């Protein structure tokens, strides 16, 4: 009897394990049927079983299309049956996704973050005026705060102006400006949290009015 036992390590690999081994055997059986009429009939029966295993997806658009795609995938694209949908391509499914494009910041000043570079690029597109000047100084103050988060020591405004000039491609130049940025202490000040509730003191009741018997 022990010789008749089957171990999963010795069984056929399940392409989509969620459907189980019995459904995989049904698909293997359908592949071996001699006529296409029989294969089509069994394939539709298998689709019904697959749908019963996932009743929560019945109202999902293209649910039947997904089931037919999974049927061909589990058959290793060897099931010759008629599908109401285009048969998926094995080459198409084996293709890897395109590399995700990550925003690239200046490698020397990564501590500023990518949002700063985006803000600088936007500022470069603005016309000269009070609004652009306000935006530029807001960016510079935020850069100073980012720098202090990375390096707890104080930083001179000239360093920030030099970095801003470089990151803007030389279009934003505050190196000759007479206006100072916000003080380092004010940029790094943390708000203290105070508890709003008052401590309640429990007072023992007085025994003066207690009746004595």
């Amino acid at each position: 009897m022990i010789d008749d036992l089957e171990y999963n390590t010795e069984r056929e690999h399940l392409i989509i394990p969620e459907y189980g081994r019995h459904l995989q055997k049904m698909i293997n059986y359908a592949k071996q049927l001699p006529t296409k009429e029989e294969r089509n009939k069994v394939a539709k029966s298998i689709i019904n079983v697959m749908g019963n295993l996932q009743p929560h997806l019945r109202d999902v658009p293209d649910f039947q299309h997904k089931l037919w795609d999974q049927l061909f995938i589990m058959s290793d694209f060897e099931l010759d049956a008629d599908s109401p949908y285009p048969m998926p391509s094995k080459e198409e499914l084996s293709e890897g996704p395109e590399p995700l494009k990550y925003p690239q910041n200046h490698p020397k000043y990564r501590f500023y973050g990518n949002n700063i570079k985006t803000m600088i690029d936007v500022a470069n597109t603005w016309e000269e005026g009070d609004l652009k000047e306000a935006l530029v100084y807001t960016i510079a103050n935020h850069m100073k705060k980012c720098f202090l988060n990375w390096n707890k020591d104080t930083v001179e405004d000239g360093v920030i102006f030099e970095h801003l000039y470089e990151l803007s491609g030389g279009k934003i130049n505050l190196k000759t400006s007479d206006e100072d940025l916000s003080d380092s202490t004010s940029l790094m000040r943390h708000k203290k949290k105070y508890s709003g509730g008052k401590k309640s003191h429990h007072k023992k009741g007085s025994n003066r009015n207690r009746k004595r018997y």
Side-chain angles (χ1 to χ4, degrees), residues 193-206:
K193 296 181 180 180
Y194 297 94
S195 57
K198 296 182 179 179
K199 294 183 179 179
S200 60
H201 300 281
H202 178 71
K203 296 182 179 179
K204 295 183 179 180
S206 176

Side-chain angles (χ1 to χ4, degrees), residues 176-194:
T176 59
S177 174
D178 297 331
E179 186 172 345
D180 296 330
L181 298 178
S182 299
D183 182 73
S184 299
T185 305
S186 63
L187 288 173
M188 299 304 295
R189 183 183 296 124
H190 296 283
K191 294 182 179 180
K192 296 181 180 180
K193 296 181 180 180
Y194 297 94

Side-chain angles (χ1 to χ4, degrees), residues 57-116:
L57 295 177
R58 288 187 181 275
D59 298 329
V60 175
D62 297 331
F63 175 59
Q64 288 289 323
H65 192 175
K66 178 180 179 181
L67 292 181
W68 279 97
D69 286 349
Q70 291 178 337
L71 173 64
F72 288 118
I73 291 172
M74 286 189 288
S75 70
D76 199 19
F77 302 92
E78 296 176 355
L79 177 60
D80 184 14
D82 295 328
S83 169
Y85 308 97
M87 181 176 175
S89 170
K90 188 174 184 179
E91 293 75 15
E92 182 180 354
L93 293 176
S94 61
E95 290 181 358
E98 295 182 0
L100 184 63
K101 296 181 180 179
Y102 288 93
Q104 298 297 324
N105 199 359
H106 200 289
K108 289 167 51 179
Y109 310 124
R110 292 181 180 176
F111 47 85
Y112 288 131
N114 290 309
N115 289 335
I116 284 290

Side-chain angles (χ1 to χ4, degrees), residues 69 88 99 101 146 150 157:
D69 286 349
K101 296 181 180 179
C146 292
W150 170 71
D157 291 352

Side-chain angles (χ1 to χ4, degrees), residues 100-155:
L100 184 63
K101 296 181 180 179
Y102 288 93
Q104 298 297 324
N105 199 359
H106 200 289
K108 289 167 51 179
Y109 310 124
R110 292 181 180 176
F111 47 85
Y112 288 131
N114 290 309
N115 289 335
I116 284 290
K117 186 63 173 68
T118 302
M119 293 170 65
I120 293 173
D121 294 339
V122 171
N124 283 335
T125 63
W126 284 23
E127 296 182 358
E128 297 296 332
D130 294 339
L131 287 178
K132 180 175 181 179
E133 183 179 357
L135 176 60
V136 167
Y137 275 97
T138 300
I139 294 173
N141 277 312
H142 193 66
M143 289 174 63
K144 186 173 182 178
K145 184 177 181 180
C146 292
F147 189 100
L148 293 171
N149 284 329
W150 170 71
N151 185 352
K152 298 301 181 182
D153 297 334
T154 57
V155 56

